[in-house]
Amino acid sequence: MTTDNSKTTKNLLSTKEVTRRGFVKGAAATAGVAIGSGAITGFPTIWAQNIKDVTLRQFGTGVSNINAVADKVKEDLGFTLQMTALDSDAVAQRAVTQPKSFDIADIEYWICKKVFPAGTMQPMDTTKLKNYQYISKLFIDGKLTPDSEIAQGTAPHTVGFVEGADSVEFASAPTQWMTLVPTIYNADTLGIRPDLIERPINSWADLLDPAFKGKASILNIPSIGIMDAAMVCEAMGEVTYGDKGNMTQEEIDKTIAIMIDAKKAGQFRAFWKSFDESVNLMASGEVVIQSMWSPAVAAVRSKGIACKYQPLKEGYRAWGGGIGLAKHLTGLELEAAYEYIDWYLSGWVGAYLNRQGYYSAAPATAQKFMSEDEWGFWMEGKEAQGDILSPDGKVMEKAGAVRDGGSYEERMGSVACWNSVMDENKHMVRKWNEFIAA
């Protein structure tokens, strides 16, 4: 990332094109007159006439199903976006078993690996997306820089493309056809209460330190929690994995056995599934060390409570999500969906996500919607010159703060694994549930 905010924006976003989005913003007022008169060509009059009647149904996890985005879609594009928030397991199930119940699926890449082969979604033609060029290389070839090593697990690029318009087979290299257009991602680590912990925390192994007996917690979503557990067991030197993202049955069994022993010894205060649960556990002091998401740490801090997203020597666990299209979408609704997805990459949403502590999949476009100080804090690891505000205007960090973990390159460049679906997924889920029930 560059340190020159204005220069980067000017270089990367110099091309200004007349698009359907620009026309639609004024469609209610013009009612297609401009197009009908020939002032602008290439866009069907029916778009302007009927766009207000379009409703797209989107579902996904609460992370990116944001009401402010739906409001902005109505303002900028003219149609209605209905959002439904579910947990990860329900998202995966609905995408496969209720394909007519949604138009847009906002899902994580490990879920994509499970659901796209079912044939309920359609590949997306990247030539229809003018902002495709700004998508981070992490989602194209898996590398932050040409010299980066690809982390273990379900790296987004491995399930990001298919061979053709009707294919459900994942491609081994980028093609014209995407399964999901990436939108959001982050590098996760442990959250801690530094005011209640008397020593430095620098390893995933610290989650099972008996010093924190009854004060620890872990995320209870099997496909994600197992990765945190693997990071812990590997850091303790108890298990050596061939690939944490695709464990053997033996590796899974060893990992779960260690977690069950820790649970029976009273290590865990609770297990959490939702953002709010993790915030409440940490803010109350019931838990002092746990799996956590970056915005949850910020939410605890916003209450005036010390909380740190602790960088660890073994690296981060990463995750990413994107938007996909239901197989049944056609006609005006399909065109509206493409316009929405391209709009999503154009910057406003990316800046919104960055301000929450996530990362935009198109950093260059998000940059033009952020101040130099915001960009410096969230992306470059710089000290905040003024207070850093959340999207709704609340103070998240005071002037002088530096983002935990540093810059975008430092955090995403230290990823050890991605959230994953394993070949032994059914066995893993069964063993994980045994751990939770033990």
Side-chain angles (χ1 to χ4, degrees):
M1 294 302 157
T2 179
T3 58
D4 187 337
N5 188 61
S6 60
K7 183 177 180 181
T8 300
T9 301
K10 187 177 296 182
N11 288 343
L12 292 179
L13 302 170
S14 58
T15 302
K16 295 185 178 180
E17 302 175 356
V18 177
T19 67
R20 182 179 285 112
R21 177 164 59 256
F23 173 73
V24 168
K25 189 172 182 180
T30 64
V33 172
I35 288 179
S37 67
I40 302 176
T41 61
F43 303 129
T45 305
I46 191 173
W47 178 272
Q49 293 173 339
N50 296 336
I51 190 62
K52 291 173 66 177
D53 296 328
V54 169
T55 295
L56 296 178
R57 301 162 298 161
Q58 175 176 313
F59 80 106
T61 60
V63 168
S64 52
N65 272 263
I66 301 166
N67 289 334
V69 172
D71 293 341
K72 191 65 172 173
V73 165
K74 190 68 173 179
E75 177 185 339
D76 284 4
L77 303 181
F79 54 82
T80 299
L81 184 69
Q82 291 180 348
M83 291 185 167
T84 301
L86 305 169
D87 65 41
S88 296
D89 291 338
V91 165
Q93 183 179 35
R94 183 169 179 175
V96 173
T97 64
Q98 301 179 56
K100 294 294 183 67
S101 70
F102 69 93
D103 303 311
I104 296 173
D106 183 359
I107 60 180
E108 292 182 50
Y109 279 91
W110 65 268
I111 297 176
C112 180
K113 184 177 180 179
K114 295 173 68 174
V115 306
F116 203 88
T120 61
M121 298 170 64
Q122 60 178 288
M124 284 173 287
D125 185 352
T126 60
T127 64
K128 293 184 177 182
L129 303 171
K130 74 179 184 65
N131 289 305
Y132 174 81
Q133 62 186 305
Y134 301 117
I135 293 174
S136 167
K137 292 286 285 181
L138 272 176
F139 296 94
I140 307 302
D141 62 16
K143 294 186 175 185
L144 191 64
T145 69
D147 298 326
S148 297
E149 292 187 10
I150 298 174
Q152 295 178 352
T154 306
H157 75 287
T158 64
V159 294
F161 297 89
V162 289
E163 296 293 347
D166 299 314
S167 177
V168 294
E169 299 289 333
F170 297 120
S172 60
T175 69
Q176 179 180 334
W177 304 97
M178 270 190 144
T179 58
L180 304 175
V181 170
T183 55
I184 184 173
Y185 57 113
N186 210 347
D188 287 352
T189 184
L190 296 177
I192 66 170
R193 282 286 300 270
D195 57 326
L196 302 178
I197 292 179
E198 297 179 352
R199 67 167 179 82
I201 301 297
N202 57 27
S203 172
W204 282 90
D206 290 324
L207 185 68
L208 294 192
D209 187 332
F212 307 127
K213 181 179 179 180
K215 293 286 188 177
S217 182
I218 194 169
L219 171 62
N220 182 22
I221 298 175
S223 293
I224 305 175
I226 190 65
M227 304 304 290
D228 284 357
M231 294 293 286
V232 170
C233 293
E234 188 173 64
M236 294 170 66
E238 295 291 336
V239 184
T240 300
Y241 302 92
D243 180 355
K244 289 187 293 295
N246 196 21
M247 301 180 202
T248 65
Q249 284 197 11
E250 181 182 6
E251 291 168 344
I252 292 168
D253 293 349
K254 287 181 178 179
T255 303
I256 296 301
I258 291 168
M259 301 305 287
I260 288 175
D261 286 345
K263 184 182 180 186
K264 289 182 175 179
Q267 186 70 14
F268 298 106
R269 170 64 182 84
F271 305 103
W272 64 267
K273 279 192 173 184
S274 73
F275 177 96
D276 290 339
E277 287 174 335
S278 70
V279 171
N280 293 337
L281 286 169
M282 191 65 85
S284 67
E286 294 180 65
V287 164
V288 300
I289 184 169
Q290 68 171 348
S291 305
M292 217 164 176
W293 297 330
S294 178
V297 173
V300 175
R301 286 177 176 167
S302 71
K303 300 175 183 292
I305 299 168
C307 191
K308 185 176 183 181
Y309 211 38
Q310 182 63 49
L312 303 170
K313 62 184 179 182
E314 297 88 8
Y316 293 86
R317 172 187 50 75
W319 60 273
I323 293 174
L325 302 180
K327 184 79 169 180
H328 67 78
L329 270 186
T330 58
L332 184 62
E333 285 74 19
L334 180 59
E335 289 297 312
Y338 267 106
E339 192 63 30
Y340 164 57
I341 292 170
D342 204 36
W343 171 86
Y344 206 113
L345 295 172
S346 67
W348 186 90
V349 183
Y352 191 104
L353 296 174
N354 283 355
R355 293 188 187 100
Q356 289 184 308
Y358 301 117
Y359 290 124
S360 165
T365 62
Q367 186 177 5
K368 65 177 181 165
F369 287 87
M370 301 177 74
S371 70
E372 184 174 353
D373 192 31
E374 287 179 314
W375 183 261
F377 175 82
W378 290 115
M379 299 297 292
E380 297 176 331
K382 292 181 177 179
E383 181 179 303
Q385 300 304 300
D387 289 348
I388 298 298
L389 305 181
S390 69
D392 60 1
K394 295 180 181 178
V395 176
M396 295 182 72
E397 301 286 355
K398 295 287 189 180
V402 175
R403 183 174 188 175
D404 293 338
S407 70
Y408 172 77
E409 286 86 357
E410 288 174 303
R411 298 179 81 252
M412 292 308 302
S414 300
V415 168
C417 63
W418 290 86
N419 290 351
S420 184
V421 173
M422 307 175 189
D423 293 342
E424 298 290 346
N425 184 64
K426 290 183 179 179
H427 180 74
M428 183 279 294
V429 171
R430 183 168 61 252
K431 298 300 290 186
W432 181 267
N433 289 337
E434 289 178 10
F435 158 52
I436 297 300

